[in-house]
Amino acid sequence: GKNTNIQNQINLILTEIYKYKYENIQFARIGVSQKQYRKISILIRDNTGTETEVTPTFSHLSSGEVMILSIFASILKEYDRVSNHVDVSTENIRGIVIIDEIDLHLHSDLAKNVLPILINMFKGIQFIISSHSPFFLLGMKDTFSDNCEFVNLPSGEILGDVENFEEI
């Protein structure tokens, strides 16, 4: 049903987040344990099919991982709230998302390698993002090539070279 679709989309986001930590990851998912000892954890399945608990509770996530997960899960939640679609997927979502200082609390690997991939999963969304991270900008340039625009603030100058900026 609809909740399973949403959970599957969250698991896809988790998979992208955990790919930068674990080389042989096939899939990441939220795991919910038995009621008597209930806990919510994150498990990964590697290329051999072995499933391992890598994050015993959500409090074990880094602040950057929490931020990324909450941003993209919030997009899914809001789409679910305002739409009548049963199939909640990143491909169906349309709109504009504005994020100020997306690089806040992010490790450089997350900013450069993970964040652009997650943004690319939501192809129907126009993202308007501010950032101070050259790693994020380089990752966006690598992922989107000419399909994104970098504006130097406060001048409003469109940048071709993302290495030369004041604020984006």
Side-chain angles (χ1 to χ4, degrees), residues 66 68 99 158:
V66 168
I68 289 176
I99 305 169
I158 305 295

Side-chain angles (χ1 to χ4, degrees), residues 15 28 49-50 78 117 119 127 131 141:
T15 299
T50 304
E78 287 304 311
I117 291 169
I119 289 168
F127 286 90
S131 175
K141 190 72 170 169

